[in-house]
Amino acid sequence: MKTRDIAATEPMTLAFEVTVSSVQELSPNFRRITFGGYCLRDFGVNGDTRDLRIKLMIPSLAEDGAELPLPVFEMTQSGWYREWLAMDPAERGSMRTYTVRQSRLDSVYPEIDVDFVMHFDADGHGGPAANWARNAKPGDAITIIGPNNRHAQCYTAEIYGGIEWRPGMAQRILLAGDETAVPAISAILESLPSYMTGHAFLEVPEAGDFLELTSPADVEITWLARGAAIGRSRPHGELLQQAVRSAVPEPGWVGIKASDGGAGPEPEDVNVDVDILWETPARMETAEIEATKNPDMPAGAMPFYAWIAGEAAVIKDMRRYLVRDVGIDRKQVAFMGYWRQGKAEL
Ligand SMILES: Cc1cc2nc3c(=O)[nH]c(=O)nc-3n(C[C@H](O)[C@H](O)[C@H](O)COP(=O)(O)OP(=O)(O)OC[C@H]3O[C@@H](n4cnc5c(N)ncnc54)[C@H](O)[C@@H]3O)c2cc1C
């Protein structure tokens, strides 16, 4: 069978029924949960996982606190997601998006690690995923929706849909994100080729959340702590925005030609309270990419690429700064709202 035929017959994603192998406190606000299961032999993409996203199905709780069984769907059946959405939210469970931080899929017992941000309000209430992660213990069962490696092997990781990190020919990069993007940035950094240079900025709640990070690339990694003390914590995203502004200071940077006043086009507005802020070069239509091409660059040259993810309103501000004020081509930046302040994922 040709690879094209395999891609056409295999579902892109599968539901993996896994159990918690271990739980590790990484820092005050990060908890690593390792999921294992023989079914994970069918999980994976072609190459490094980078910022590979997965969906976790979090069971609803009955009044006595017991987990309700999750609805079972055949992933090959089209329309399962719509069917799931139509179910009573009190019974269907919650679907939340996370990143594969690390994987050991070739092991006898395959495993993946997911790093959860432990976010709770002043009364200790979190969303379904944060609550589930707080109570997780070895043996707990959960369902992960993730890539079917038989389908994904037909594509390079570069073009696989669940991975947004696509730097193309870029040699100089900018990675910026809040704590929810730390797992993705960490995995991307580990996968970089040695010829890449640039900056990675990671904003986290407190200095205790600075994690050990390595990269074969010549990328300067900067951790930013908002500060733990109540009343003294910096607003979410403030430090990240300052860091990005100082690393990408003005038009003319990375060879961008300054037009009138150095400004680029005003990006179309996204109401982050209603719409998802998700703008990645991979999602742009060819015509749009053509329209944003810099005529001063040789064809195919993409010397710079930025990947920015975190709280949607913060990301929206950075998008305006980089696209309008600095004038960076939109095809050179991936902007992703990973969560929205005050709004549950679904
Ligand atoms: C592609 C992608 C990858 C992601 N990877 C990760 C990952 O690896 N690790 C990770 O921890 N998160 C990750 N996230 C973010 C995660 O999906 C959200 O934080 C999600 O809202 C958590 O679900 P919940 O059930 O805990 O909270 P929800 O029910 O969705 O939200 C409940 C309340 O909590 C608030 N809230 C949600 N997240 C946070 C937060 N981090 N800090 C403060 N308040 C918050 C919401 O604004 C809302 O008011 C990722 C998101 C995307 C889109």
Side-chain angles (χ1 to χ4, degrees), residues 96-99 115 117 119 127-130 180 183 338 340 342-343 345:
R96 294 289 184 268
T97 313
Y98 280 81
T99 305
D115 292 352
V117 175
H119 68 89
T180 60
Y338 267 20
R340 288 175 299 166
K343 302 262 177 192
E345 187 176 330

Side-chain angles (χ1 to χ4, degrees), residues 41-62:
R41 285 177 182 154
D42 293 332
F43 180 101
V45 290
N46 190 355
D48 296 317
T49 56
R50 308 169 197 209
D51 55 341
L52 176 65
R53 59 177 174 271
I54 52 173
K55 298 279 182 188
L56 302 185
M57 302 279 291
I58 314 284
S60 300
L61 298 181

Side-chain angles (χ1 to χ4, degrees), residues 187-327:
I188 289 170
L189 281 170
E190 286 166 3
S191 75
L192 294 180
S194 58
Y195 62 77
M196 279 196 177
T197 63
H199 294 276
F201 297 111
L202 304 104
E203 186 190 287
V204 290
E206 54 186 289
D209 295 314
F210 296 175
L211 305 176
E212 188 82 22
L213 270 189
T214 53
S215 176
D218 184 18
V219 174
E220 199 179 312
I221 299 169
T222 308
W223 289 94
L224 307 159
R226 290 193 293 277
I230 291 172
R232 290 181 48 211
S233 181
R234 305 282 290 265
H236 199 104
E238 187 182 84
L239 292 170
L240 197 60
Q241 287 178 329
Q242 282 171 4
V244 167
R245 280 166 192 261
S246 63
V248 187
E250 56 193 20
W253 189 79
V254 292
I256 291 160
K257 184 170 183 280
S259 53
D260 291 342
E266 176 78 38
E268 73 282 4
D269 193 32
V270 175
N271 181 349
V272 292
D273 288 330
V274 182
D275 299 315
I276 294 171
L277 177 65
W278 198 274
E279 186 180 300
T280 63
R283 296 274 169 118
M284 289 168 71
E285 296 298 327
T286 314
E288 270 182 278
I289 292 181
E290 287 299 319
T292 60
K293 263 191 180 153
N294 184 340
D296 297 333
M297 292 283 175
M302 295 227 331
F304 170 73
Y305 173 79
W307 181 106
I308 295 166
E311 199 283 318
V314 172
I315 302 305
K316 181 177 160 176
D317 278 356
M318 281 197 258
R319 172 175 173 259
R320 194 181 299 124
Y321 173 71
L322 291 174
V323 172
R324 186 193 63 184
D325 300 348
V326 182

Side-chain angles (χ1 to χ4, degrees), residues 20-58:
V20 173
S21 300
S22 63
V23 176
Q24 192 188 346
E25 305 302 338
L26 291 182
S27 73
N29 294 287
F30 283 111
R31 186 165 229 233
R32 173 164 299 168
I33 301 189
T34 298
F35 299 100
Y38 292 110
C39 59
L40 289 174
R41 285 177 182 154
D42 293 332
F43 180 101
V45 290
N46 190 355
D48 296 317
T49 56
R50 308 169 197 209
D51 55 341
L52 176 65
R53 59 177 174 271
I54 52 173
K55 298 279 182 188
L56 302 185
M57 302 279 291
I58 314 284

